[in-house]
């Protein structure tokens, strides 16, 4: 699909964007509070209804152990320090049956698993690949009904809507379309009735996580209930397509401001965005893991360098980053540039957390546990009154054991191990799981998969170190002011 230049009148207007910036941060905060509430294990009348519904799906799937196995795998996929479940054929089969019977919320858990190669056994990743590539499509006619209801009088601006879906996901479904001025667009529609179902499913998963923590010490140490809250927060924010539209506008402005003109981002269409519907311009490209096969040879080292620059520069300098950079969301265009899609999950860091992340990376490079713990305290993951000396000693012991096994070598792969040990120490001491930190380090692990696909011979750690050095040289004053 190829991008057409859109007129200024077609793009989201300044006053519309200003309204989003004024209203949607409050919406985001309200969703965070709602996620915390529904992820708290409790037995209320609506929860009993959710249990009855989910219990029937579990029984029908003949998988009484499936919810815990699925949660454990998804938590591992998010980088949490919990051992993934055994990859036995029986466990995998039961978990897959539950996902297929459970509906979109469970498909979303499956997507976590399918995008975690290197964090989970390959058998788990492969078993849930279908969740990432193609969720069950909506019934014929449903999308047209939603579009008509959401757009109202503006429906006439959409001159053509393809009956066949371009992609079907757990949250929404995308279709090709064309505006009355000839502009090619993508129309994304939220699945009807999804919000109520997500709430019920999350309440049930919270009870399953609490039960697992009571029965299994490893689940308690990994803070499975914390993962359910993280999961609920991400999914609830994905449900409001106005939030994705704001992510698109602000990300595009950030890339332009930073001179990252090798990255394309869809632009929302003025007047055609609601909570349940998002119309945006179409972009070129295919998923990076299919680019060479479908478009011919690619310059893998260039793509890798650009990808690392985009991830690190946007996060450290602007505090805004795409939170789900799996292959399906990172497209390589025929001209060799990137098209990023699906901005439903984005990380947002204020100045304090950006400074903490910089300090954490410096602590990682020095294998300095005290610096890492201090950075996490600044990040908000460790309370101000915590005994950081004891935490640092506990983490340093873990890092020293890692150093001994690696003969002191500092590699990119060690970043995942170091983060896992940090999260394990934090969780074991009852501290919170920082959502943005998990998303950022998950993106670094995605970079590992990206490198393996497009530039398998590259020294990834050297590439990351080089990009960090260039960022320091070009933006030293900005970083110094941040750390002051």
């Amino acid at each position: 699909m190829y991008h057409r230049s859109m007129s200024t009148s077609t793009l989201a207007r300044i006053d519309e964007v200003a309204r989003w910036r004024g209203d949607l941060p409050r919406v985001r905060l309200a969703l965070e509070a709602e996620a915390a509430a529904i992820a708290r294990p409790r037995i209320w009348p609506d929860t009993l209804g959710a249990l009855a519904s989910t219990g029937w799906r579990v029984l029908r799937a003949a998988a009484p152990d499936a919810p815990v196995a699925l949660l454990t795998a998804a938590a591992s996929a998010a980088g949490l320090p919990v051992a993934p479940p055994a990859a036995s054929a029986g466990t995998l089969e039961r978990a897959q049956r539950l996902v297929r019977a459970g509906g979109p919320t469970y498909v979303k858990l499956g997507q976590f698993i399918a995008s975690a190669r290197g964090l989970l056994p390959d058998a788990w990743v492969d078993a849930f690949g279908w969740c990432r590539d193609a969720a069950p499509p909506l019934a014929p006619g449903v999308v047209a009904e939603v579009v008509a209801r959401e757009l109202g009088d503006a429906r006439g601006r959409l001159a053509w809507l393809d009956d066949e879906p371009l992609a079907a996901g757990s949250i929404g479904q995308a279709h090709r379309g064309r505006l009355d001025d000839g502009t090619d667009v993508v129309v994304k529609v939220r699945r009807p009735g999804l919000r109520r179902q997500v709430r019920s499913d999350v309440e049930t998963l919270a009870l399953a996580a609490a039960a697992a923590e009571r029965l299994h010490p490893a689940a308690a140490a990994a803070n499975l209930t914390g993962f359910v809250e993280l999961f609920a927060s991400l999914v609830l924010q994905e449900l409001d397509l106005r939030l994705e539209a704001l992510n698109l506008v602000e990300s595009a402005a950030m890339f332009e401001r930073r001179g990252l003109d090798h990255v394309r981002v869809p632009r929302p269409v003025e007047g055609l965005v609601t909570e349940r519907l998002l119309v945006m311009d179409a972009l070129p490209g295919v998923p990076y893991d299919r680019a060479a096969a479908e478009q011919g040879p690619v310059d893998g080292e260039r793509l890798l360098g650009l990808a690392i620059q985009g991830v690190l520069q946007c996060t450290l300098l602007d505090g805004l980053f795409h939170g789900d950079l799996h292959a399906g969301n990172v497209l390589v265009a025929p001209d060799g540039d990137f098209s990023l899609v699906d901005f439903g999950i984005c990380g947002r860091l204020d100045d304090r957390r950006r400074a903490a992340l910089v300090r954490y990376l410096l602590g990682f490079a020095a294998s300095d546990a005290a610096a890492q713990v201090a950075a996490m305290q600044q990040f908000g993951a460790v309370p101000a009154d915590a005994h950081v000396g004891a935490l640092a000693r506990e983490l340093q012991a873990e890092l020293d054991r890692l150093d001994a096994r690696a003969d002191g070598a500092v590699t990119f792969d060690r970043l995942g191990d170091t983060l896992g040990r940090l999260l394990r120490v934090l969780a074991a001491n009852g501290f919170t799981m920082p959502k943005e930190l998990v998303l950022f380090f998950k993106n670094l692990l995605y970079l590992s998969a990206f490198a393996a696909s497009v530039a398998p011979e590259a020294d990834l750690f050297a590439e990351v170190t080089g990009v960090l050095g260039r960022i320091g040289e070009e933006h030293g004053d900005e970083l110094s002011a941040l750390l002051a």
Side-chain angles (χ1 to χ4, degrees), residues 298-384:
V298 298
D299 187 345
E301 290 191 4
R302 171 183 175 272
L303 287 175
L304 179 59
L306 293 177
I308 294 170
Q309 179 188 5
V311 169
L312 295 179
Q313 185 166 316
C314 294
T315 305
L316 299 180
L317 298 181
D318 292 278
L320 173 64
F321 60 96
H322 193 301
D324 195 19
L325 291 176
H326 64 74
N329 291 340
V330 182
L331 313 182
V332 177
D335 61 5
D337 288 344
F338 287 113
S339 296
L340 297 184
V341 298
D342 195 355
F343 279 70
I345 297 177
C346 276
R348 290 174 176 270
L349 301 173
D350 58 20
D351 288 351
R352 176 178 58 84
R353 288 191 163 189
R354 284 195 296 125
L357 187 56
V358 171
R359 290 191 170 101
Y360 175 80
L361 291 174
L362 293 173
F364 160 74
S367 197
D368 184 340
Q372 293 178 34
V373 170
M376 289 301 95
Q377 189 171 44
Q378 182 181 1
F379 204 95
V382 176

Side-chain angles (χ1 to χ4, degrees), residues 458-471:
D459 183 338
L460 189 53
F461 186 79
E463 293 282 349
V464 169
T465 303
V467 169
L468 283 172
R470 288 194 295 276
I471 291 174

Side-chain angles (χ1 to χ4, degrees), residues 85-107:
S88 68
T91 302
L92 276 173
E93 182 183 358
R94 290 190 294 272
Q96 287 185 83
R97 286 207 304 267
L98 176 60
V99 170
R100 293 184 185 279
T105 308
Y106 289 85
V107 171

Side-chain angles (χ1 to χ4, degrees), residues 273-294:
V273 177
T274 72
E275 181 181 343
R276 299 173 180 83
L277 179 138
L278 169 59
V279 180
M280 54 198 144
D281 61 329
L283 297 183
V286 297
Y288 71 73
D289 57 355
R290 300 190 342 235
E294 297 187 21

